[in-house]
Amino acid sequence: MDYLTLLQILDSGLRLATPLLFACLAGLFSERAGIFDIGLEGKMLIAAFFSAATAFSTGSVWLGLLAGIASSMVLAGIHGLASITFRGNQLISGVALNFLASGLTVLIGLSWFKLGGQTPALPREARFNSIDLPFAEALSGVPILGPLYSEVISGHTLLVYVALLCVPATWYILFRTRFGLRLRAVGENPAAVDTAGISVVGLRFAAVAICGVLCGLAGAYLATGLGASFVREMTAGRGFIALAALIFAKWRPWYALYATLLFGLLEAVANRYPSLDLGIVTLPSQFMQALPYILTVVILAGFVGKAIPPRAGGEPYVKER
């Protein structure tokens, strides 16, 4: 493998890791507040559909982005209502949202566009285009670091850079602000937070809302940044991969970045080498395409017992009278 090929894999890996990073950070906020969210996949899927549909209908990628975030927040609100207000089972609520999003996107897509649940291809002005960072072309001739900057760091869409900026922002919010301290406390000991006169319900709904926004960004990126239209079930299990990455990252923002980059690189390698010849044996294309999902199973089998989730996670809070 030459240096240029390596840079191309890194570039593709960063693009493919972006929706996983958004979804992983979304789950991090929600689960740090004690709300387990299996419905990341559904929120990403419905955001991808409405962002692509709105961008195509209006010709504006920004309206598409807002529509994607809004639709994701609607599902997040339903999840919050079911699991916080009505104290329902959080896992069942998340699974129900996944089924709801899967069916709604196909049904509405068939009704609106008559293309088998897909949206038409988006024109250039209706999707996010790549951004060349300053001096990218001028520095491209510098050995080693020049191509790294011009090929891997520069040339991505806006949402890729937003996702990367969300990592330090998430770390700062959770570990350096009063809101973050209270949010983490709600996930560990909600009774103590309630005793201090702070609304447990309000904090958990805030976390669910942030989760909805980040899932909306993930879905919008899939349809208007990484791709140029909505395709049926285009999330392809990314919400569940993001949950595995979250467990692997032990609910920490910087580790979440590294975990999602690992999944993105695996998918990039699978796309680059449909079948990989190792000399002794040739790995078939089916195995290469399954690599990210195999890693998901390995992580869930090997790290679930070692990663300690928030103590009050998955448990509805009942205020003592």
Side-chain angles (χ1 to χ4, degrees):
M1 181 188 298
D2 59 11
Y3 186 54
L4 181 59
T5 302
L6 177 62
L7 291 180
Q8 291 172 347
I9 291 175
L10 290 174
D11 175 67
S12 178
L14 181 56
R15 297 174 193 269
L16 293 168
T18 297
L20 298 177
L21 181 56
F22 274 129
C24 192
L25 293 177
L28 191 150
F29 271 103
S30 182
E31 296 195 11
R32 277 285 187 173
I35 304 297
F36 287 164
D37 197 348
I38 303 295
L40 299 177
E41 177 89 358
K43 288 194 280 288
M44 289 170 64
L45 186 63
I46 204 160
F49 173 77
F50 278 103
S51 63
T54 305
F56 175 78
S57 301
T58 63
S60 170
V61 67
W62 297 106
L63 290 177
L65 178 63
L66 290 176
I69 293 174
S71 60
S72 175
M73 289 191 71
V74 168
L75 289 195
I78 294 173
H79 183 58
L81 194 67
S83 54
I84 301 172
T85 304
F86 296 117
R87 306 189 188 99
N89 187 294
Q90 297 172 10
L91 300 181
I92 293 176
S93 172
V95 171
L97 290 181
N98 290 335
F99 283 119
L100 178 65
S102 179
L104 274 181
T105 51
V106 174
L107 182 64
I108 300 175
L110 284 170
S111 175
W112 286 2
F113 302 110
K114 309 293 192 298
L115 293 175
Q118 301 178 193
T119 63
L122 301 178
R124 181 178 176 81
E125 64 274 8
R127 63 180 190 266
F128 287 100
N129 298 301
S130 59
I131 300 172
D132 291 324
L133 297 181
F135 310 112
E137 187 175 351
L139 295 174
S140 61
V142 177
I144 301 178
L145 294 180
L148 180 66
Y149 178 72
S150 61
E151 297 292 334
V152 178
I153 299 175
S154 178
H156 295 286
T157 60
L158 176 65
L159 291 183
V160 174
Y161 301 112
V162 170
L164 294 175
L165 289 174
C166 280
V167 177
T170 299
W171 172 84
Y172 183 80
I173 290 171
L174 285 177
F175 297 100
R176 290 295 182 271
T177 66
R178 183 178 298 176
F179 171 76
L181 174 64
R182 291 173 174 177
L183 192 73
R184 287 183 290 124
V186 163
E188 297 291 340
N189 192 343
V193 175
D194 194 20
T195 302
I198 302 167
S199 172
V200 173
V201 171
L203 281 170
R204 286 189 165 179
F205 265 111
V208 167
I210 294 172
C211 176
V213 171
L214 291 171
C215 283
L217 290 171
Y221 173 76
L222 279 175
T224 61
L226 187 62
S229 66
F230 173 83
V231 182
R232 292 177 64 168
E233 307 294 344
M234 72 180 303
T235 47
R238 285 182 172 89
F240 301 108
I241 292 177
L243 284 173
L246 181 60
I247 295 171
F248 190 34
K250 298 183 178 179
W251 293 269
R252 293 184 175 274
W254 289 106
Y255 292 168
L257 172 62
Y258 308 143
T260 51
L261 284 176
L262 174 61
F263 280 105
L265 284 173
L266 277 178
E267 189 174 352
V269 169
N271 292 338
R272 180 74 181 185
Y273 300 102
S275 58
L276 188 60
D277 187 3
L278 299 179
I280 301 175
V281 63
T282 299
L283 299 178
S285 59
Q286 294 86 349
F287 178 84
M288 296 302 294
Q289 293 297 327
L291 262 181
Y293 306 99
I294 293 172
L295 182 61
T296 301
V297 174
V298 170
I299 286 175
L300 291 176
F303 288 88
V304 165
K306 299 176 183 178
I308 302 174
R311 283 184 295 176
E315 299 176 3
Y317 177 65
V318 181
K319 184 170 182 163
E320 293 183 3
R321 300 290 181 182

